[in-house]
Each structure stands twice: as C-alpha cells, then as structure tokens.
Amino acid sequence: MADEKNQQQNEIQAAAIAAQEDLPVSNIAHWLQTVHHGTLSTLSTKKGIEGFPIGSIVPFALDEIGRPFILVADIAAHTRNINNSNEVCLFLSDPESSGDPQSHWRISVVGNMKRVIPSRKVDETSSELLQKSIQVSNEHESILLARYRERVPQAESYLRTHNFSFYLMDEIHYIRYIAGFGKICWVKGEELLEQMLGNDVQEVSAGAVQHMNDDHEDSMIQICKAFHHVDSQKAEMVSIDSGGTVIKSIQPERYVYNSFPHRITADDMRTAIVDLAKKARVKLAE
C-alpha cells in the first residue's frame, strides 16, 4: 500500500511539473534565462525613414527581477533611436531550430528601455538625458556588469574604455508568445515579472545568503576562481534570486554572477547552490 501511495504521489507531482512547464509564462521565463541574444527593434531616427522599425542583433542579460538589459555604444543607431523614442521589441527564437522556422518557438518582448546612469557619470550627463534615464549607484552598475559579463566576457572593456552604456527594459508591457501551431497568445508583462521574480525565492533568500556567508566562504572562493579566474582571498555572497547568485570577491574586489540552468523555486535553492559549488570543485581539480 505504501509503495502504491508513493507511486501515486510521484505521478501527481510529475503531472504538476509537466503542467507548469507547459504554461506560456513559464516557457518565456525559461527562454529568457537560457537564450543570450536576440533581435532588438527600435524606431529609426534616420532622415527619410523616421519612425520605421530597425532590427539589431544584441546580446542581453537579466537583472535581479528578470528584466532584460543590454550594453550598447553611444554611436550605435539603435542607441540614438532609444534615446529619441524608448519603445522597443526584443525578439527571441529557438537557437536550435531546423527545418520550417515557423514550427518552432519565438517570443516578442514589448516594452520601454531606458539608459542606466551610475553615480560616476551623473555630472557628465545632460539634464535632458538624465530625465529619461534610470540613475543607480556605482555598486549597482558593477553588479549589472557582473551579470552581463557572464554572458559577454569582454563587456568590461567596452564599459570602462569605450562609450558604452547599459540600457534596461524597465517596463515590459506584453509578450507575444508562439510555441508552434495553435500555441499562440499574448502574456502580460506583470505576469512574466511575477514568474521571473519567484516570490518564494525572495522570501528565503536573505537567510540563504546569511548561511553562505557564515559557513561556506570556501565554496564561494572556489566559485570565483573556477568560473571567473579571480584568485580571491576573501568573498561574500551579495544576493540570490531565481536566476542566479551574485558573489563579491573582497580581496581582490570584484563582483561575479553565476546563473542557474533554469529559474528556480525556493525548494530548488539548496540543490542549485550545492551543484554550483560541486561544479567549481570539479573544474578546479581538472
């Protein structure tokens, strides 16, 4: 009887997981987590084609609540376009598709994108641009860089030595979802962000961060060295969200970001962090 009851519980749990994975909002969250570039459409400012949409290939990363952000040059056409009119669309499609492209998934994330201006750049930024931008601390910019650098390793040289800036999709209005024939709908931006945020993760993350800092500094030092080539003498965990974790190497000072293979729930958190530490040890032993 006990074995039969356990089997029934396992079947119910498996069905619940399958149902969750089939939800459009869950699929969108997963694709944003695992696909690292897309096509950004902006409204042109070029004389003669003002207001027409123009597409550009852009790498992107996700902030602490799952919103996409990019790193772009001041001289780029899409940067000028966003500064003039910040309505954008980020289009993603299945990177492993073959055959008929219309038989595979694709999403269009529609929203508003704003320039991110750290404290160190406020004095050199025009008042007009400041009014249309998001102002953050220098530390917050460093954490954005850590998140972006995980996907684009050369990002730091762009940000520090060239005229590049982060632009964040701070408002997501709708997502056009297509996952094959008959699987088409619109998803509201707030529904996606609720999924990306993972409220249960938020509720327990502070305790998990404290536990890591109290008992597992050695694991964080190994993670810094294995995945980021930072030979840290001292490190601390800054945050955990449903997409990954931020660690600060204190000696030397550097923020690093480690994404999880998928968006996690609170129940997944311990396993995700243990797996990350194990992979770091294996990599260092190679």
Side-chain angles (χ1 to χ4, degrees):
M1 286 292 292
D3 289 343
E4 184 178 344
K5 185 175 181 181
N6 288 336
Q7 183 178 354
Q8 289 176 342
Q9 289 176 337
N10 290 338
E11 289 174 355
I12 291 171
Q13 185 177 18
I17 292 171
Q20 176 72 10
E21 289 176 347
D22 198 42
L23 291 174
V25 71
S26 297
N27 287 335
I28 295 168
H30 179 68
W31 297 333
L32 285 168
Q33 178 79 3
T34 57
V35 178
H36 297 174
H37 70 273
T39 300
L40 182 73
S41 291
T42 58
L43 301 179
S44 177
T45 58
K46 181 175 174 59
K47 187 175 180 180
I49 54 170
E50 296 94 339
F52 283 84
I54 301 293
S56 305
I57 296 293
V58 293
F60 70 93
L62 304 174
D63 75 351
E64 67 278 6
I65 62 175
R67 299 174 298 184
F69 67 94
I70 61 176
L71 180 63
V72 291
D74 288 352
I75 62 172
H78 47 259
T79 304
R80 295 195 299 271
N81 295 344
I82 297 170
N83 288 340
N84 180 68
S85 179
N86 70 358
E87 292 91 349
V88 303
C89 174
L90 180 63
F91 175 80
L92 277 62
S93 60
D94 186 351
E96 298 179 359
S97 65
S98 60
D100 181 1
Q102 291 188 312
S103 66
H104 300 277
W105 70 259
R106 58 269 194 200
I107 55 173
S108 297
V109 185
V110 179
N112 297 91
M113 191 164 271
K114 293 181 181 177
R115 184 169 180 159
V116 176
I117 299 180
S119 300
R120 65 187 181 87
K121 286 189 173 182
V122 168
D123 290 341
E124 62 189 62
T125 305
S126 70
S127 58
E128 180 183 359
L129 186 53
L130 280 175
Q131 290 175 1
K132 300 188 293 184
S133 302
I134 303 166
Q135 296 183 47
V136 301
S137 66
N138 293 331
E139 180 185 34
H140 189 94
E141 184 199 43
S142 295
I143 292 173
L144 287 178
L145 175 59
R147 291 173 176 274
Y148 196 85
R149 187 173 53 225
E150 187 199 37
R151 296 185 172 192
V152 185
Q154 64 272 32
E156 188 159 8
S157 65
Y158 296 159
L159 185 65
R160 303 301 186 199
T161 62
H162 304 285
N163 291 322
F164 276 69
S165 299
F166 288 121
Y167 281 74
L168 170 70
M169 189 179 285
D170 71 322
E171 295 181 81
I172 299 176
H173 299 299
Y174 281 96
I175 303 91
R176 182 62 169 170
Y177 170 88
I178 305 176
F181 182 76
K183 297 180 180 179
I184 302 172
C185 65
W186 287 97
V187 173
K188 291 182 179 179
E190 55 262 34
E191 293 176 11
L192 173 63
L193 291 179
E194 183 178 349
Q195 177 75 27
M196 297 292 277
L197 187 59
N199 289 328
D200 61 341
V201 173
Q202 241 188 343
E203 291 168 2
V204 301
S205 62
V209 167
Q210 187 64 52
H211 170 69
M212 291 297 295
N213 288 334
D214 288 344
D215 300 328
H216 298 289
E217 184 182 23
D218 56 337
S219 293
M220 293 184 287
I221 288 173
Q222 290 172 339
I223 289 168
C224 289
K225 187 171 184 177
F227 301 123
H228 306 282
H229 309 294
V230 178
D231 195 4
S232 179
Q233 303 302 307
K234 185 173 177 58
E236 66 179 17
M237 187 164 285
V238 176
S239 65
I240 303 172
D241 58 63
S242 65
T245 180
V246 176
I247 295 173
K248 181 181 181 181
S249 168
I250 297 173
Q251 298 173 355
E253 184 171 323
R254 187 175 181 84
Y255 290 93
V256 300
Y257 181 71
N258 304 277
S259 61
F260 301 134
H262 55 85
R263 309 295 292 190
I264 65 165
T265 66
D267 290 340
D268 304 324
M269 183 179 293
R270 183 181 183 279
T271 300
I273 295 173
V274 168
D275 286 349
L276 181 63
K278 285 181 178 178
K279 288 176 183 177
R281 288 195 293 271
V282 169
K283 190 173 179 65
L284 290 175
E286 291 176 349

